[in-house]
Amino acid sequence: MLMPRPRLYLRDDSHPQARACAACEVRRSALFGALDAAGLERVHVDIAALLLAPGERVYARGEASAAVFTIRAGIVRFERVTAGGARRIVRLAGRGDLIGAEALLERPYHDEAVACTEVQLCRIPQALVGELGGAQAGLLHELMSRWQRALDAAEAWAAELSAGPARLRMLRLLALLDRHRDDDGLIWLPRRDEIGAMLDMTFETASRLVSRLRREGVLEPLPPRAARVDAGRLAAALVAADA
Amino acid sequence: MLMPRPRLYLRDDSHPQARACAACEVRRSALFGALDAAGLERVHVDIAALLLAPGERVYARGEASAAVFTIRAGIVRFERVTAGGARRIVRLAGRGDLIGAEALLERPYHDEAVACTEVQLCRIPQALVGELGGAQAGLLHELMSRWQRALDAAEAWAAELSAGPARLRMLRLLALLDRHRDDDGLIWLPRRDEIGAMLDMTFETASRLVSRLRREGVLEPLPPRAARVDAGRLAAALVAADA
DNA sequence: CGAGCCGTTGAGGGGATTCAAGCTCAGTGG
DNA sequence: CCACTGAGCTTGAATCCCCTCAACGGCTCG
């Protein structure tokens, strides 16, 4: 997958990095604003300044991460492609926001980040924050990992459960609930109005969909609030509805 | 706002906490799984085990945070109430997930967390992780703050821009873009198909909505990709469409 | 100047909502 | 014991919002 890195327009050659960060006009709101002068002196890694044109990509989904970015100006959007191939924008980020935090966990980027307007970025190599946490580095890593997991779940919710026809959203919700099934193989089946609050539909529509899936053998409701799903038929229904 | 704390069903009285965490059946996936035995010995704070019935609330939006929770069993949902008063579920969390991480930043909880099934939680006092980061505590705090901001933005996206009629979603997007307006008071106006990818609608519908808002004087498109919004009319249109 | 991208607008159809009725089931009190 | 009640679920009929399909205009390129 040929993937050109963002072009590097500007680079401050002064060392240490302290000079550049101390002079940064968005320092108060920037990531390293929390470091005092002494702390900045210790930062010896190059923080590259990038300038992206609208439509240029910061990083791609699945790309190995090597850096985290701070937005100094402009708007960046995050895109995901659903299982069916539809492209969905799940979030925007602007000045002062941190993007690509997966890099701190040494994981591939989870979604695609694209410049909406002209964008100024600071590119912070992953190694720079590597020694964070000190003795409790492991715990800190776990903590950040949970945060990232929550963010991932929230973006997946926006991409998968908030778009497309009602039946498709319903099927995707069942697939999600199936990942939380208990030891007896049962899933939690929400009340109809709760399904409505999740999938942005009326409880009548939710009821119709559940009833139809029951008639199709995809779902067997076991009142109250439980059900058994036929994983095979669910998968089949998903690919049929997704196409 | 009378707000009863979750009932405490079970509490391990053995000190140090090491005993309890070391024996935890979800330890490998739990937050403190990263701590070795020596690290666990140093943890002297009480980690309370909670058992919640379906429908019980873990915490409420706006409530002052004092603890972060780890889910040992069950499903927890996160709810938000939109400006118009509609309740929307924006995310689910399950076994091993961390919830209420706002507490680590000493901020109020951002949304309402409610047990879907019977839920087992570990309640971790905020103070426990207070000394994390050591010398670079300030930087670490900034870092976590950015993570939480991203999570908040993603949940807000699901709540505000993914629910309701097309016109309302469009108005809310304009309000969001208006918060990113540049020094000239101009906003970035996406292409029609990009609006479609954001709001889950066709580009034709997006075009119709933009045209109508232009005729109504809410929006003045300045091609390419910019526009001026009448904040007053936008606010008025929002309350009209929201009711 | 034709090709392609982007935007706009119209006509028709379909999917979801709205309004409405009826059902089961648990809890309550006469 | 059983009507009474309300919550939750289901189903039908009519309406409406949005999608689909289509045509057209402005604009920038090669």
Side-chain angles (χ1 to χ4, degrees):
Chain A
M1 196 170 5
L2 203 53
M3 198 82 65
R5 306 290 317 162
R7 267 177 304 163
L8 190 140
Y9 280 74
L10 170 68
R11 185 198 196 95
D12 192 321
D13 281 317
S14 75
H15 282 261
Q17 181 72 29
R19 200 95 39 93
C21 283
C24 177
E25 65 268 31
V26 289
R27 178 166 170 220
R28 271 187 309 276
S29 70
L31 180 58
F32 289 98
L35 288 179
D36 56 10
L40 278 174
E41 288 290 342
R42 272 182 283 132
V43 176
H44 288 303
V45 188
D46 280 329
I47 296 181
L50 305 179
L51 184 59
L52 300 185
E56 275 193 281
R57 183 165 55 195
V58 183
Y59 53 76
R61 170 172 177 84
E63 185 182 335
S65 66
V68 52
F69 303 84
T70 288
I71 302 179
R72 298 177 63 194
I75 300 178
V76 172
R77 68 170 178 264
F78 300 89
E79 301 185 359
R80 293 201 167 199
V81 179
T82 67
R87 158 173 154 271
R88 184 87 209 275
I89 297 175
V90 296
R91 187 163 57 97
L92 293 181
R95 156 178 285 222
D97 285 333
L98 184 76
I99 71 175
E102 300 93 324
L104 303 177
L105 305 167
E106 297 179 355
R107 286 187 207 160
Y109 296 116
H110 281 202
D111 32 37
E112 185 154 332
V114 181
C116 295
T117 64
E118 193 169 87
V119 167
Q120 295 176 31
L121 295 176
C122 283
R123 182 180 186 276
I124 307 170
Q126 179 271 324
L128 194 154
V129 284
E131 70 271 4
L132 260 183
Q136 289 160 323
L139 174 58
L140 181 57
H141 188 275
E142 277 303 307
L143 193 58
M144 298 193 298
S145 176
R146 302 309 151 100
W147 234 313
Q148 181 62 29
R149 195 195 300 180
L151 177 58
D152 192 41
E155 291 192 352
W157 191 279
E160 304 286 339
L161 298 184
S162 301
R167 176 180 165 87
L168 180 57
R169 301 203 303 277
M170 183 75 217
L171 291 169
R172 285 174 173 164
L173 175 61
L174 288 178
L176 174 64
L177 293 173
D178 195 42
R179 290 203 288 276
H180 287 288
R181 69 174 176 275
D182 64 15
D183 303 328
D184 303 328
L186 299 181
I187 68 164
W188 167 60
L189 188 66
R191 287 199 326 251
R192 304 302 175 263
D193 64 326
E194 290 173 333
I195 296 178
M198 294 182 192
L199 305 181
D200 187 39
M201 59 180 67
T202 61
F203 70 90
E204 294 100 325
T205 300
S207 175
R208 279 182 245 269
L209 290 170
V210 169
S211 297
R212 182 164 160 220
L213 290 173
R214 173 172 41 75
R215 287 190 288 270
E216 292 173 356
V218 175
L219 184 71
E220 182 192 358
L222 303 171
R225 316 271 172 281
R228 187 180 304 277
V229 299
D230 185 322
R233 294 187 190 182
L234 174 57
L238 264 171
V239 298
D242 220 333
Chain B
M1 193 167 11
L2 202 53
M3 198 83 65
R5 306 291 315 164
R7 267 176 304 161
L8 191 141
Y9 281 73
L10 169 70
R11 186 197 196 96
D12 192 323
D13 281 317
S14 74
H15 280 263
Q17 182 70 30
R19 199 95 39 92
C21 283
C24 177
E25 65 268 29
V26 288
R27 173 158 175 227
R28 270 187 310 275
S29 70
L31 180 59
F32 289 98
L35 288 180
D36 56 10
L40 279 175
E41 288 290 342
R42 272 183 283 131
V43 176
H44 288 302
V45 189
D46 280 328
I47 296 180
L50 305 179
L51 183 60
L52 299 184
E56 274 193 283
R57 185 164 56 194
V58 183
Y59 53 75
R61 170 171 178 84
E63 183 182 336
S65 66
V68 53
F69 303 84
T70 289
I71 303 178
R72 298 176 65 193
I75 301 177
V76 172
R77 68 171 178 264
F78 300 89
E79 301 185 358
R80 293 201 167 198
V81 179
T82 68
R87 157 174 155 271
R88 183 88 208 274
I89 297 174
V90 296
R91 188 162 58 97
L92 294 181
R95 154 178 286 221
D97 285 331
L98 183 76
I99 70 175
E102 301 93 324
L104 303 177
L105 306 167
E106 298 178 356
R107 289 190 204 156
Y109 295 117
H110 280 201
D111 31 37
E112 185 155 332
V114 181
C116 294
T117 63
E118 191 169 86
V119 167
Q120 294 177 32
L121 295 176
C122 283
R123 183 180 185 276
I124 307 171
Q126 180 270 324
L128 194 153
V129 285
E131 70 272 3
L132 260 182
Q136 290 161 323
L139 174 57
L140 181 57
H141 188 275
E142 277 303 308
L143 192 58
M144 299 194 298
S145 176
R146 301 309 150 99
W147 234 311
Q148 181 61 29
R149 194 195 300 180
L151 177 58
D152 193 41
E155 291 192 352
W157 192 279
E160 303 287 339
L161 299 184
S162 300
R167 176 179 166 88
L168 180 57
R169 302 203 302 277
M170 182 76 216
L171 291 169
R172 286 175 172 163
L173 175 61
L174 288 178
L176 174 64
L177 292 173
D178 195 42
R179 291 202 288 276
H180 288 287
R181 68 175 176 276
D182 63 16
D183 303 328
D184 303 328
L186 299 181
I187 68 163
W188 168 60
L189 189 65
R191 286 199 327 253
R192 304 302 175 262
D193 64 326
E194 290 173 333
I195 296 178
M198 294 181 191
L199 305 181
D200 187 39
M201 60 180 67
T202 61
F203 68 89
E204 295 99 324
T205 299
S207 175
R208 278 182 246 268
L209 289 170
V210 169
S211 297
R212 181 164 162 221
L213 290 174
R214 172 172 42 75
R215 287 191 288 268
E216 292 173 356
V218 176
L219 185 71
E220 183 192 358
L222 303 170
R225 318 270 174 277
R228 188 178 304 278
V229 298
D230 184 322
R233 294 188 191 184
L234 175 56
L238 264 171
V239 298
D242 221 332

